[in-house]
Amino acid sequence: MKLHEYQAKQVFADAGIPTPPSQLAEDVDGVLSAAGEIGYPVAIKAQVQVGGRGKAGGIELVSDDEEAREAADSILGMDLKGIHVDRVLVEGAVDFVNELYVGVTMDRGEGKPVAMVSTKGGVDIEAVAEETPDAIVREHVDPAFGMHPYQARKAVYDAGVDREVARDVASVLTTLYELWDDRDGADAEINPLMVTDDDEVIAADAVMNVDEDALFRQPEIAEMQEEAASGDELEQKADEYDFDYVRLEGDVGIIGNGAGLVMTTLDLVDHYGGEPANFLDVGGGAKAERITNALDMVFSDDNVESVVFNIFGGITRGDEVARGINEALEAFDEIPKPVVVRLAGTNWEEGMEILNEDLVTVEGTLESAVQRAVEYAEEGQA
Amino acid sequence: MKLHEYQAKQVFADAGIPTPPSQLAEDVDGVLSAAGEIGYPVAIKAQVQVGGRGKAGGIELVSDDEEAREAADSILGMDLKGIHVDRVLVEGAVDFVNELYVGVTMDRGEGKPVAMVSTKGGVDIEAVAEETPDAIVREHVDPAFGMHPYQARKAVYDAGVDREVARDVASVLTTLYELWDDRDGADAEINPLMVTDDDEVIAADAVMNVDEDALFRQPEIAEMQEEAASGDELEQKADEYDFDYVRLEGDVGIIGNGAGLVMTTLDLVDHYGGEPANFLDVGGGAKAERITNALDMVFSDDNVESVVFNIFGGITRGDEVARGINEALEAFDEIPKPVVVRLAGTNWEEGMEILNEDLVTVEGTLESAVQRAVEYAEEGQA
Amino acid sequence: MSVLVDDDTRVVVQGITGGEGEFHAGQMIEYGTNVVAGAVPGKGGQEVHGVPVYDTVDQAVREEDADASVIFVPPAFAGDAIFEALDTELDLAVAITEGVPTQDMAKVNKRLTETDTRLLGPNCPGLITPGEAKLGILPGNIFAEGNVGLVSRSGTLTYQVVDNLTNRGIGQSTAIGIGGDPIIGTDFVDALSLFEDDPETEAIVMCGEIGGEDEEEAAAFIADNVETPVAGFIAGRTAPPGKRMGHAGAIVSGSGTGTAESKIDALNDAGVPVGDTPEEVADHVEDLL
Amino acid sequence: MSVLVDDDTRVVVQGITGGEGEFHAGQMIEYGTNVVAGAVPGKGGQEVHGVPVYDTVDQAVREEDADASVIFVPPAFAGDAIFEALDTELDLAVAITEGVPTQDMAKVNKRLTETDTRLLGPNCPGLITPGEAKLGILPGNIFAEGNVGLVSRSGTLTYQVVDNLTNRGIGQSTAIGIGGDPIIGTDFVDALSLFEDDPETEAIVMCGEIGGEDEEEAAAFIADNVETPVAGFIAGRTAPPGKRMGHAGAIVSGSGTGTAESKIDALNDAGVPVGDTPEEVADHVEDLL
């Protein structure tokens, strides 16, 4: 779960990392009053979670009321890579001489946290990682001990950070690690960490991704989640229903249990010439209501022309799935789009007995179910 | 550094460990008013750091004002194993059905922390450890990970704690470990941890010893240290001077550098028929002032008839030692007791040049220095 | 003719008094698994399905000589339950729980370097040696005894592939679901190495998916160390880069590795035929046997 | 004719810009020790006694091929400095610092199980191979080249015993001060085993003191594993039970072990003569040679 910049900055500032003064604003007047309090020049930054905000016109540096009004007018309400901008962060501009990068993430391959420092901050750090990997110093952390102070120093000195600010940068990195550790971070990054000409360091941006599986013990972060919710309506609905859902471009709706099996179903739709409309994993052990919600999700996507329901029961039981499908479809006067069902595994026979076959098309294998759904979608488009 | 019971109880209570209601009192009125607020019966407990307070008459259970007044009168001002009692803790008496023991300490042999639980609480736990070692369950903790919750449960269930209170006892043990860890504990113990007939657990005593070497990062504990100061005047003086000092029964005062060498000097005093008056280690790298303080310490002990000064310089320099001895002794019109000096190691020649040999007896070897001091002491007693 | 578990394996079920734990303990027993104990703090002395429950795993191991554990404990307590299992003398701990916080698993991962107990999972379906024992939630009836070893990151995809094999009369020596979380115990390389050392396993099926580099590493391991023939499957060919597909494993980094293409190429380079569909995987296995 | 260090040992001094660090780095160099670098955060690029200073130990090891470190860092930062040393490719780290919090050392002790770097100390005088190298604060002029290995828990007691030996013309192969803290790196058994394996060490002196059970363990080790003759000394015979004498090691638990008597008995049982005075120890060594 990714925090908005303004949320992450607050979390960082509370932990003692220096950040510029800033205020959130929702309209032009708010922007002007914030800028007045902070003092020009200020940056006006769209609070949407898309990459490359700056290049897309979502960040402007302004030095008086007139410029601020103009920038606020243009950014508030704009559509940034498909997301509507309804809030901006007004932030004191920092006069910097250097831009650094510091970050903490989980190195999945090593199975341990890694702290990173680079003097090539302020740019696309993924590109730096790709093109000049040695420009990013990586220090792995033993999660039982946590990050030792010397490790922060080692990363900072090895990265070639100036000796004048090295201690402060090491201290920011240490705090960032502790934050990442305390808050169940997935990634925590500052890019750029600006260095001013009087050797102050200040976090000009803030990224904080939190492990969704740990939100139960991060109540403050969980509270931020609502505010941080994605702009896409369908994805918001998926959040509410607590589904793993990804919207795609095609017309064959897909529902299944287990990421691997659902991905395989997508692959087969492609294999048989169709185009998947979505990825939707109901997870393990879904009960009837969850199945009903899944159908609701998929039908909410106007692009969908057919649905394939592929359940291989382990922990999930075929009878519950059948009950859910019946309930969902019996609520309609007319079934919106054809639904193909394939049930296997735990209690599949019981499921088949329960399933109202007037409402769905039943197939015995994954391959035939997908082929049938692709055919239906082609008919729908025709 | 050992906290008083009332200080340790406060620390434990702040961490969420249930303790009985209690108030500190310094006079009879204070005891009565505290007892009035808490409600009878209460225990009146002398706040002195000696073992076996109860047996020595330092703890009394009273059930009305009259008994309280009598007990307060007898305990306040009493001399408990050589320590004057000037404060008592007035504490609500707990009606218990069982007494447990829980503790956390450093297992020096293993080099790791160990959590302990026993159902034989309420008695001398050292005796239990000696006689029925299996009655104390020991769970070693990996200090990098800290104590896992399952470890607390394992210790508690293996000790045979009743299932009705096991979860609460495990929770107390977990908190005790965290406290011990956060506060740089040497030992943290609750004996007894009382179990009431409605299955509540409550810490009826509290022991907390803190690593003196870690006091620099435990400001709250360090502040308690003054209040917790030992009752012995000479040992208080040693605390002020920051010496490792132990007062003994004999008449040969001993000053040296390094615990092993000082102990060896004591052993030699004994070997040559004398009796050591004290152990005093000035530590490594002592400067002149510290040497002056050491002589002041030893002369403050009225039993002392002679002093042997044995310095083998490594980090400590002979010239500094000589300067300190001169300063200390030149301040007297008459040297109080004969001082024998033996200097070796770093800068011993420079020291010998500086040393005012009119004020001291110089010896070239440890053995001869000790023998001479023993002779002086015998002459002094004669 | 199996790896890791057989009908001698003595199983303790952590969380046996919870809904899932009780249900699947029953299913395991029904399948013939030798479930000898349960472990649930505070429930010691009870019985579930006729099996004695202990307060701690250690007690269960001591009293019932358990040598493997299956963990059905809610995610908030699963990390602790895994540590509890790892700190006994068990040979194998199987963590079924889905949704264990990644930082908890990083700590577990550290402990794994210090213990001889093997971990499978978390967020995995467990493993099964058909006809002998199943430890986990796999639907026993789709498996058949045989000589194909199967290892998979995905639970339900495993069932799908097994179904295709069994329907053709191809049985399995052991099927291992390693789980799809970012940090897991037993990985592809571990499982491949177990099957390679098992004289009765005559072919191996490896089902991977997009994200991470485990399949690439497995391919390199196969090229150097595995003589038993291997057939592969990779889920997620059509997943768009940068999108998260279900569990955390399924993120395509877009940086060359981690994509379906990179994994399939690596496997092909190691001489492993990769099927486009589960049916094609079964075709390949038939060819290899 | 030495263990652990000789004139090839390349030494980095952690904390070389502090008062003690600078003084003793000078003393070490004067003695002939090959001090190749200092390490102090923020002081990289400076020089002390003509030796280059680096910001991190890792840089010093990389740039100057250091293989041993001596740590003069204040107690609050010493634990971190020890970790820094242990996490490089150094063979040996010697921690002189007195007053390192015990819980910091418990964590260090855990790391020692995971690294190949040997730790000596903390709160120790270091070690010396007379005529070749000294790492630490021992006064070099009292030592003489020879064939007696010495290991001691106490710094100044070491000097005393060495003085008695040198005065009789008995030189030392290497003298090792292991330190008296509750948790230390190299212990008696480690040091005894090094001397036993050194063909040039013809006798060993072991100086212990009251508290703990290290001397008892060492005695058992000697009985089973050490053929080189050993003489012993135990400080604290007259210490009253329950009193703390200086550093934390010197607590007599009163429970049978840890007392001077128990240690002397254990050593005698292992065939080790124990002197009543440092002079007597020298007598024993003369007999053993």
Side-chain angles (χ1 to χ4, degrees):
Chain A
M1 177 226 145
K2 189 176 181 185
L3 297 187
H4 275 295
E5 179 195 4
Y6 74 91
Q7 296 172 322
K9 274 218 171 102
Q10 191 58 53
V11 171
F12 287 14
D14 289 348
I17 294 174
T19 52
S22 67
Q23 285 184 27
L24 200 62
E26 296 182 0
D27 53 31
V28 175
D29 286 349
V31 169
L32 291 177
S33 104
E37 279 185 40
I38 292 165
Y40 289 102
V42 297
I44 299 177
K45 305 162 97 174
Q47 296 301 289
V48 289
Q49 297 185 342
V50 298
R53 264 184 317 173
K55 281 190 190 153
I59 301 181
E60 297 215 27
L61 193 68
V62 299
S63 44
D64 57 32
D65 275 1
E66 196 183 333
E67 286 180 22
R69 187 186 307 275
E70 209 170 296
D73 251 341
S74 92
I75 296 176
L76 280 164
M78 83 187 289
D79 187 85
L80 208 68
K81 298 193 179 174
I83 313 284
H84 184 263
V85 178
D86 50 11
R87 282 173 304 194
V88 294
L89 190 66
V90 183
E91 184 174 83
V94 178
D95 219 14
F96 62 91
V97 293
N98 264 316
E99 293 183 298
L100 311 175
Y101 166 86
V102 298
V104 179
T105 189
M106 186 66 79
D107 182 336
R108 177 196 160 130
E110 295 280 321
K112 42 174 88 155
V114 61
M116 294 171 292
V117 179
S118 175
T119 53
K120 307 223 167 182
V123 294
D124 179 2
I125 197 71
E126 279 81 13
V128 174
E130 191 87 354
E131 288 153 26
T132 52
D134 289 349
I136 302 174
V137 170
R138 293 165 185 81
E139 179 76 17
H140 281 96
V141 177
D142 181 328
F145 287 99
M147 187 163 71
H148 300 286
Y150 86 83
Q151 295 187 284
R153 296 196 304 264
K154 184 160 168 270
V156 166
Y157 286 113
D158 281 352
V161 171
D162 289 343
R163 214 164 266 125
E164 288 68 35
V165 294
R167 182 192 300 256
D168 288 346
V169 176
S171 154
V172 167
L173 183 59
T174 301
T175 307
L176 196 67
Y177 179 84
E178 285 167 3
L179 202 61
W180 179 89
D181 188 43
D182 289 348
R183 298 308 189 98
D184 275 300
D187 319 289
E189 293 182 316
I190 301 174
N191 186 23
L193 180 68
M194 287 179 171
V195 180
T196 67
D197 60 2
D198 53 350
D199 292 336
E200 301 282 324
V201 299
I202 189 157
D205 194 11
V207 170
M208 181 83 182
N209 254 309
V210 176
D211 180 1
E212 312 229 349
D213 287 334
L215 285 180
F216 69 88
R217 61 186 178 199
Q218 298 294 347
E220 287 171 43
I221 301 285
E223 218 168 88
M224 293 179 180
Q225 190 177 24
E226 289 178 29
E227 279 186 64
S230 144
D232 183 286
E233 259 179 52
L234 273 174
E235 297 195 347
Q236 274 184 25
K237 194 165 202 164
D239 277 351
E240 276 165 38
Y241 285 150
D242 191 27
F243 284 135
D244 277 321
Y245 173 85
V246 181
R247 191 177 187 176
L248 302 168
E249 309 283 314
D251 55 6
V252 180
I254 292 162
I255 300 173
N257 62 327
L261 186 60
V262 179
M263 282 196 285
T264 300
T265 313
L266 265 74
D267 293 349
L268 284 185
V269 167
D270 179 73
H271 184 74
Y272 291 117
E275 281 185 69
N278 66 275
F279 169 102
L280 197 169
D281 178 8
V282 298
K287 295 279 186 290
E289 190 193 348
R290 201 162 163 75
I291 299 298
T292 312
N293 292 343
L295 270 168
D296 177 47
M297 277 285 325
V298 173
F299 283 140
S300 304
D301 179 351
D302 293 338
N303 294 341
V304 165
E305 291 295 342
S306 71
V307 178
V308 56
F309 222 113
N310 179 34
I311 299 289
F312 208 123
I315 213 166
T316 310
R317 286 158 48 187
D319 51 332
E320 287 285 347
V321 173
R323 238 185 300 276
I325 294 174
N326 287 353
E327 273 169 36
L329 298 184
E330 282 162 6
F332 291 105
D333 290 335
E334 194 186 339
I335 308 295
K337 302 288 172 183
V339 177
V340 184
V341 175
R342 184 263 182 150
L343 289 184
T346 307
N347 290 14
W348 77 271
E349 293 98 336
E350 290 87 336
M352 292 312 295
E353 272 168 34
I354 290 165
L355 195 63
N356 183 342
E357 297 197 30
D358 296 342
L359 308 177
V360 299
T361 305
V362 172
E363 288 288 344
T365 71
L366 171 56
E367 288 79 2
S368 61
V370 168
Q371 280 174 292
R372 180 61 67 95
V374 170
E375 284 163 24
Y376 282 146
E378 281 163 4
E379 288 164 19
Q381 294 287 3
Chain B
M1 175 226 148
K2 189 178 181 184
L3 297 186
H4 275 297
E5 179 194 3
Y6 74 91
Q7 296 172 320
K9 275 222 171 100
Q10 191 58 54
V11 171
F12 286 16
D14 288 348
I17 294 174
T19 52
S22 68
Q23 286 184 28
L24 198 63
E26 296 183 0
D27 54 30
V28 175
D29 287 349
V31 169
L32 292 177
S33 102
E37 278 184 41
I38 292 165
Y40 289 103
V42 298
I44 298 177
K45 306 161 95 173
Q47 296 300 289
V48 289
Q49 298 187 341
V50 299
R53 264 184 316 175
K55 281 189 190 152
I59 300 182
E60 296 216 27
L61 192 68
V62 299
S63 42
D64 57 34
D65 276 0
E66 198 182 331
E67 286 179 22
R69 186 185 308 273
E70 208 169 296
D73 252 341
S74 92
I75 295 176
L76 279 163
M78 82 187 290
D79 187 84
L80 207 68
K81 299 192 178 175
I83 313 283
H84 185 263
V85 178
D86 50 12
R87 283 173 302 194
V88 294
L89 190 66
V90 183
E91 183 173 84
V94 178
D95 219 13
F96 62 91
V97 293
N98 263 314
E99 294 183 298
L100 310 176
Y101 165 86
V102 297
V104 178
T105 189
M106 186 67 79
D107 182 335
R108 177 195 160 130
E110 295 281 322
K112 42 173 87 155
V114 61
M116 295 171 291
V117 179
S118 176
T119 53
K120 307 224 167 181
V123 295
D124 180 1
I125 198 71
E126 279 82 13
V128 174
E130 192 88 352
E131 289 153 25
T132 51
D134 289 349
I136 301 175
V137 170
R138 294 164 184 80
E139 178 76 17
H140 282 96
V141 177
D142 182 327
F145 287 99
M147 187 163 70
H148 300 285
Y150 86 84
Q151 295 187 283
R153 296 195 303 264
K154 184 160 168 270
V156 167
Y157 285 114
D158 280 353
V161 171
D162 289 343
R163 213 164 268 125
E164 287 69 34
V165 295
R167 180 193 300 254
D168 288 346
V169 175
S171 155
V172 166
L173 183 59
T174 301
T175 307
L176 195 67
Y177 180 85
E178 284 165 4
L179 202 61
W180 178 90
D181 188 43
D182 290 348
R183 298 306 189 97
D184 276 300
D187 318 290
E189 293 182 316
I190 302 172
N191 186 24
L193 180 69
M194 287 179 172
V195 179
T196 66
D197 61 0
D198 54 350
D199 292 335
E200 301 281 324
V201 300
I202 189 158
D205 194 10
V207 170
M208 181 84 183
N209 254 309
V210 176
D211 180 2
E212 311 230 349
D213 287 334
L215 285 181
F216 68 87
R217 63 187 177 199
Q218 298 293 348
E220 287 171 43
I221 302 285
E223 217 168 271
M224 292 180 182
Q225 190 176 24
E226 289 178 29
E227 278 187 65
S230 144
D232 184 284
E233 261 179 50
L234 273 173
E235 298 196 346
Q236 272 182 26
K237 195 166 204 164
D239 276 351
E240 275 164 39
Y241 285 150
D242 192 26
F243 284 135
D244 277 322
Y245 174 85
V246 181
R247 191 178 188 175
L248 302 167
E249 310 284 313
D251 54 7
V252 180
I254 291 162
I255 300 174
N257 63 327
L261 186 60
V262 180
M263 281 195 286
T264 300
T265 314
L266 266 72
D267 293 349
L268 284 186
V269 167
D270 179 74
H271 184 74
Y272 291 117
E275 281 184 69
N278 66 273
F279 168 102
L280 197 169
D281 178 7
V282 299
K287 295 280 186 287
E289 190 192 349
R290 201 163 164 74
I291 300 298
T292 313
N293 292 344
L295 271 169
D296 177 47
M297 276 286 326
V298 173
F299 283 141
S300 304
D301 180 351
D302 293 338
N303 294 341
V304 164
E305 291 295 341
S306 71
V307 178
V308 57
F309 223 111
N310 180 34
I311 299 289
F312 209 121
I315 212 165
T316 309
R317 287 159 46 188
D319 51 331
E320 288 284 348
V321 173
R323 238 184 302 276
I325 294 174
N326 288 352
E327 274 169 35
L329 297 184
E330 282 160 6
F332 291 104
D333 290 335
E334 194 187 340
I335 308 295
K337 302 288 171 181
V339 177
V340 184
V341 176
R342 183 263 182 149
L343 289 184
T346 306
N347 289 14
W348 77 271
E349 292 98 335
E350 290 86 335
M352 291 313 294
E353 273 167 35
I354 291 166
L355 196 64
N356 182 342
E357 297 198 30
D358 297 342
L359 307 177
V360 298
T361 307
V362 171
E363 288 288 343
T365 70
L366 171 57
E367 287 80 1
S368 61
V370 169
Q371 280 172 294
R372 181 61 67 97
V374 170
E375 285 163 25
Y376 283 145
E378 280 163 6
E379 288 163 21
Q381 293 289 1
Chain C
M1 63 183 260
S2 67
V3 300
L4 293 176
V5 296
D6 58 28
D7 49 15
D8 287 335
T9 305
R10 298 175 66 82
V11 177
V12 52
V13 176
Q14 290 176 254
I16 199 171
T17 57
E20 282 197 28
E22 182 170 351
F23 176 74
H24 287 288
Q27 296 278 303
M28 284 189 264
I29 291 167
E30 199 175 291
Y31 192 77
T33 311
N34 190 11
V35 177
V36 297
V40 182
K43 309 280 182 177
Q46 300 185 6
E47 285 201 352
V48 173
H49 302 304
V51 167
V53 180
Y54 294 88
D55 292 304
T56 69
V57 176
D58 190 57
Q59 286 178 1
V61 170
R62 268 186 280 145
E63 300 295 327
E64 305 295 343
D65 265 342
D67 48 26
S69 163
V70 186
I71 300 170
F72 295 96
V73 167
F77 310 105
D80 189 51
I82 295 173
F83 270 104
E84 181 169 5
L86 295 183
D87 291 355
T88 62
E89 302 291 308
L90 291 170
D91 297 324
L92 175 68
V94 179
I96 306 301
T97 312
E98 182 179 349
V100 183
T102 306
Q103 295 197 2
D104 292 0
M105 283 309 303
K107 294 201 175 78
V108 166
N109 194 46
K110 157 83 174 174
R111 179 69 100 212
L112 286 173
T113 64
E114 308 169 336
T115 173
D116 293 329
T117 302
R118 173 188 294 276
L119 175 68
L120 182 63
N123 191 16
C124 80
L127 79 169
I128 185 169
T129 292
E132 304 213 14
K134 81 162 178 165
L135 278 70
I137 60 172
L138 313 99
N141 59 327
I142 61 170
F143 292 86
E145 294 177 48
N147 300 317
V148 174
L150 187 137
V151 54
S152 171
R153 252 164 91 180
S154 162
T156 47
L157 175 59
T158 311
Y159 312 158
Q160 177 65 50
V161 172
V162 164
D163 204 41
N164 293 41
L165 293 173
T166 301
N167 284 341
R168 297 185 186 206
I170 303 173
Q172 303 87 39
S173 54
T174 300
I176 305 175
I178 60 173
D181 272 6
I183 301 179
I184 56 175
T186 302
D187 62 13
F188 279 126
V189 168
D190 298 327
L192 288 165
S193 147
L194 287 165
F195 284 130
E196 172 70 6
D197 292 344
D198 175 31
E200 308 288 331
T201 295
E202 291 174 8
I204 303 171
V205 176
M206 173 187 146
C207 297
E209 58 188 43
I210 51 169
E213 299 180 15
D214 294 359
E215 289 80 0
E216 285 87 341
E217 280 166 26
F221 180 80
I222 290 169
D224 292 343
N225 303 286
V226 180
E227 296 195 357
T228 313
V230 182
F233 183 76
I234 299 293
R237 295 157 179 253
T238 54
K243 289 280 188 182
R244 189 185 144 120
M245 294 270 171
H247 53 62
I251 296 172
V252 182
S253 67
S255 68
T257 56
T259 61
E261 202 187 346
S262 132
K263 291 172 192 298
I264 292 167
D265 286 351
L267 285 169
N268 285 337
D269 287 352
V272 175
V274 177
D276 276 354
T277 67
E279 275 298 326
E280 272 188 38
V281 176
D283 293 343
H284 287 308
V285 175
E286 269 189 343
D287 292 347
L288 295 174
L289 282 174
Chain D
M1 64 181 257
S2 67
V3 302
L4 293 176
V5 296
D6 58 28
D7 49 16
D8 288 334
T9 305
R10 298 176 65 83
V11 177
V12 52
V13 176
Q14 291 176 252
I16 198 170
T17 57
E20 281 197 29
E22 182 169 351
F23 176 75
H24 287 288
Q27 296 279 302
M28 285 189 264
I29 291 167
E30 199 174 290
Y31 192 77
T33 310
N34 189 11
V35 176
V36 297
V40 182
K43 308 279 183 178
Q46 300 185 7
E47 284 202 352
V48 172
H49 303 302
V51 167
V53 180
Y54 295 88
D55 291 304
T56 69
V57 176
D58 189 57
Q59 286 178 2
V61 171
R62 267 187 279 144
E63 300 295 326
E64 306 294 344
D65 264 342
D67 47 27
S69 163
V70 187
I71 300 170
F72 294 98
V73 168
F77 311 105
D80 189 50
I82 296 173
F83 269 104
E84 181 169 5
L86 295 183
D87 291 356
T88 61
E89 301 292 308
L90 292 170
D91 297 325
L92 175 68
V94 180
I96 306 300
T97 313
E98 182 179 350
V100 183
T102 306
Q103 295 198 2
D104 292 0
M105 283 310 302
K107 293 199 176 80
V108 165
N109 193 46
K110 158 81 178 177
R111 177 71 99 213
L112 285 172
T113 64
E114 307 168 337
T115 174
D116 293 330
T117 303
R118 173 189 295 275
L119 175 68
L120 183 63
N123 191 16
C124 81
L127 79 170
I128 185 168
T129 292
E132 303 214 14
K134 82 161 178 165
L135 279 69
I137 60 173
L138 312 100
N141 59 327
I142 61 170
F143 292 86
E145 293 178 48
N147 299 317
V148 174
L150 188 137
V151 53
S152 171
R153 252 164 90 181
S154 162
T156 48
L157 176 58
T158 311
Y159 313 158
Q160 178 65 50
V161 172
V162 164
D163 204 40
N164 293 43
L165 292 174
T166 300
N167 285 341
R168 299 185 185 204
I170 304 174
Q172 303 87 40
S173 55
T174 299
I176 305 176
I178 60 174
D181 272 5
I183 301 179
I184 56 175
T186 302
D187 61 13
F188 280 124
V189 168
D190 298 327
L192 288 165
S193 148
L194 286 165
F195 285 129
E196 172 70 7
D197 293 344
D198 176 32
E200 308 289 331
T201 295
E202 292 175 7
I204 303 171
V205 176
M206 171 186 147
C207 298
E209 59 188 43
I210 51 170
E213 299 181 16
D214 293 359
E215 289 81 359
E216 285 87 340
E217 281 166 26
F221 180 79
I222 290 168
D224 293 344
N225 302 286
V226 179
E227 296 195 358
T228 314
V230 182
F233 183 75
I234 299 293
R237 294 157 180 254
T238 54
K243 289 280 188 182
R244 187 186 146 121
M245 294 271 172
H247 52 61
I251 296 172
V252 183
S253 67
S255 67
T257 57
T259 62
E261 201 188 348
S262 131
K263 290 172 193 299
I264 293 166
D265 288 351
L267 286 168
N268 285 338
D269 288 351
V272 175
V274 177
D276 276 353
T277 68
E279 275 298 326
E280 274 188 38
V281 175
D283 292 343
H284 288 309
V285 174
E286 269 189 345
D287 292 348
L288 295 174
L289 281 174

